[in-house]
Amino acid sequence: MKPATVKISSVALQHNIQKIKQRAPKSKIIAVVKANAYGHGVDFVASAVEESVDCFGVARLEEALTLRSKGIIKPILLLEGFFSSHDLPIIAVNNIQTVVHNQEQLDALKQAELPNPIKVWLKIDTGMHRLGVNLEQVDYFYHELTKCENIQPQLGFVSHFSRADELDCGYTELQLERFLQATQDKEGERTIAASGGILFWQESHLDWIRPGIILYGVSPTNTPSEIYGFKPVMTLTSSLIAVRDHQAGEPVGYGGTWVSEKDTKIGVVAIGYGDGYPRNVPTGTPVFINGRRVPIVGRVSMDMVTVDLGADSQEKVGDEVILWGSELPIEEIAQITGVLSYELMTKLTPRVLTEYID
C-alpha cells in the first residue's frame, strides 16, 4: 500500500513529442521544463527527451544550471532572461541563451566583461503586456544588440500569445501580425507559439515552437488532451487506508459540511492538501477506484480525503485510488475545482512519492 504517488510515463512523454512534431514538422522544438518540468521531474524529463528536442526552456538560471549539472548539453534558453549582471559570466561559461526584454538587461550586456559572446533572443511585447520591448522600441534594441560584442551575431526573436485558447476573439491574429511585421526586415529565427499556438494556430509555428503543458499530455484548455491525441504523462494516485460503515444522517470530516442521506460506506484516501491536493475541492469531485468513479465528500484534510463508496461497495484497504490521469483527466478536475491544470501539477509537495514507469 502506497501513500500519495505520482507515476510518470516515459512512453507517454515520447508519444507526445511525436504528436508535437507531426503538428509542426518544420519547426525546431524548445521543450519547456521550468518548475521541475511542470512537476514531472526535470532530471527524468530532460534526459528522456533530449535526443528528440533542439533546446530546453527554463524560467530561472538555477534551473538551467541544474540541467547542465545533470549532463544536458543541448541549448538552454532563459525565458525570463537574467536577473542580475552578475549572472552574465555564469551564463556565458555554461553556454546558456537568454531573453532580453528591458533596457537594464541591454545595459548590463554592453558593460559586461565576458569570456565569450552569449546567444540572445529579443522579447517583443505584441499584446501580453507582461515582458518584452514595445513595438516602437524593436528597431532600437535590434541595432543596439547586433553591434554589442558580448552577443552572438544572429539574434533570435520571441513573443508570447495571451489568448491562444480563445479561437474567435481575434487577438491572437493581431499578435501574430504585430510580431511578423516587427521582425520582417531583420535577420534571426522567430518563436511565438507555445502550447496553445501549437494546437490551434498553425501559421504561428515559425522557426521554433515552445511546447510546455502539451508536452506532458495536458491541454492548455479544460478540454481533455486526448481529444488532440496526447497522453497524460502524470498519474496521481494514493491508497484507501480505511473503509468504514457510515449511517444515514451522520456527517463526515471537519465542520460536518456533508451529511449522508442514507447508509453507505466511506473510504479514507491517504492524500490531502499537505500533498498539494486542493483543499477547496467541492463535494462530488470524482476519484477513480476499481474501474468506477466515486465522489469526494466532506472537506479535504491535510493528509486525507473521504469518498462515498456506496452501500454495496466491495473496496478494501490498500486499493489504489486515482486522483487524475488517463482514467480521470486532470482537465476535468481543473474545471470542477477552478484550479488550473498547471497549478494542480506544479503545487504537489515533496512528500508525494515519484515513480518513473515504462
Side-chain angles (χ1 to χ4, degrees):
M1 181 167 60
K2 296 178 182 177
T5 303
V6 287
K7 299 178 180 180
I8 308 296
S9 168
S10 61
V11 169
L13 195 58
Q14 291 295 340
H15 169 86
N16 296 337
I17 284 283
Q18 295 308 313
K19 286 295 181 181
I20 290 166
K21 289 185 173 183
Q22 290 172 14
R23 286 181 173 269
K26 297 181 180 179
S27 302
K28 289 179 279 189
I29 296 176
I30 301 171
V32 181
V33 294
K34 61 185 179 179
N36 195 30
Y38 289 51
H40 291 70
V42 68
D43 296 355
F44 174 80
V45 170
S47 61
V49 305
E50 184 175 17
E51 293 184 2
S52 302
V53 303
D54 305 285
C55 180
F56 291 100
V58 298
R60 310 286 164 79
L61 177 58
E62 291 75 17
E63 294 175 325
L65 295 177
T66 295
L67 289 175
R68 286 285 183 253
S69 73
K70 300 300 180 180
I72 297 298
I73 61 174
K74 285 283 177 74
I76 302 171
L77 173 61
L78 297 175
L79 295 168
E80 293 183 5
F82 57 94
F83 295 170
S84 167
S85 60
H86 300 297
D87 297 337
L88 287 171
I90 302 171
I91 290 170
V93 167
N94 287 279
N95 190 28
I96 296 168
Q97 304 178 11
T98 184
V99 157
V100 166
H101 58 76
N102 62 36
Q103 184 68 45
E104 291 79 7
Q105 291 173 329
L106 174 60
D107 292 341
L109 280 163
K110 288 180 178 180
Q111 298 163 12
E113 295 184 6
L114 302 179
N116 50 270
I118 294 172
K119 169 72 175 182
V120 164
W121 294 74
L122 177 60
K123 182 150 193 176
I124 302 171
D125 180 10
T126 57
M128 171 68 88
H129 301 318
R130 192 174 59 181
L131 293 179
V133 303
N134 295 330
L135 293 170
E136 59 268 21
Q137 296 177 302
V138 172
D139 287 345
Y140 162 74
F141 270 82
Y142 176 75
H143 291 301
E144 291 297 305
L145 288 168
T146 53
K147 68 183 183 183
C148 179
E149 294 182 355
N150 283 326
I151 295 171
Q152 293 182 17
Q154 193 174 70
L155 291 177
F157 300 97
V158 58
S159 191
H160 192 62
F161 291 135
S162 63
R163 302 173 69 179
D165 57 336
E166 300 177 42
L167 304 188
D168 300 318
C169 73
Y171 201 64
T172 298
E173 297 95 324
L174 176 62
Q175 283 193 261
L176 179 58
E177 180 183 0
R178 288 171 173 173
F179 186 59
L180 295 177
Q181 288 182 350
T183 58
Q184 64 181 349
D185 58 345
K186 298 172 178 62
E187 293 186 10
E189 295 183 315
R190 299 171 295 178
T191 176
I192 193 171
S195 291
I198 295 166
L199 284 180
F200 307 125
W201 305 96
Q202 183 176 359
E203 62 273 28
S204 74
H205 292 171
L206 305 181
D207 302 295
W208 292 80
I209 54 174
R210 308 190 309 273
I213 199 165
I214 61 171
L215 177 62
Y216 308 102
V218 180
S219 167
T221 71
N222 282 336
T223 301
S225 65
E226 292 178 322
I227 298 295
Y228 307 115
F230 294 90
K231 295 182 178 180
V233 176
M234 174 191 289
T235 301
L236 176 62
T237 71
S238 191
S239 301
L240 283 176
I241 59 172
V243 176
R244 301 168 53 86
D245 292 326
H246 189 81
Q247 294 181 351
E250 289 294 321
V252 170
Y254 288 115
T257 58
W258 179 83
V259 177
S260 180
E261 296 179 353
K262 56 187 177 181
D263 291 348
T264 188
K265 291 181 180 179
I266 295 294
V268 182
V269 186
I271 193 169
Y273 62 79
D275 303 288
Y277 192 76
R279 183 178 181 273
N280 65 339
V281 299
T283 289
T285 300
V287 302
F288 192 84
I289 307 176
N290 294 329
R292 67 191 184 105
R293 294 178 175 218
V294 299
I296 290 175
V297 293
R299 289 179 180 169
V300 174
S301 304
M302 183 180 290
D303 312 302
M304 292 172 278
V305 300
T306 47
V307 297
D308 184 0
L309 297 172
D312 298 325
S313 166
Q314 300 300 309
E315 273 75 30
K316 60 187 183 299
V317 169
D319 284 352
E320 183 180 71
V321 180
I322 296 174
L323 288 304
W324 63 67
S326 296
E327 299 85 350
L328 183 61
I330 192 173
E331 296 92 343
E332 181 178 342
I333 304 303
Q335 188 169 25
I336 292 170
T337 62
V339 180
L340 291 174
S341 300
Y342 302 79
E343 183 178 352
L344 289 171
M345 292 187 296
T346 58
K347 73 185 297 184
L348 294 176
T349 66
R351 79 172 183 178
V352 177
L353 305 178
T354 301
E355 286 185 2
Y356 297 107
I357 61 176
D358 305 330

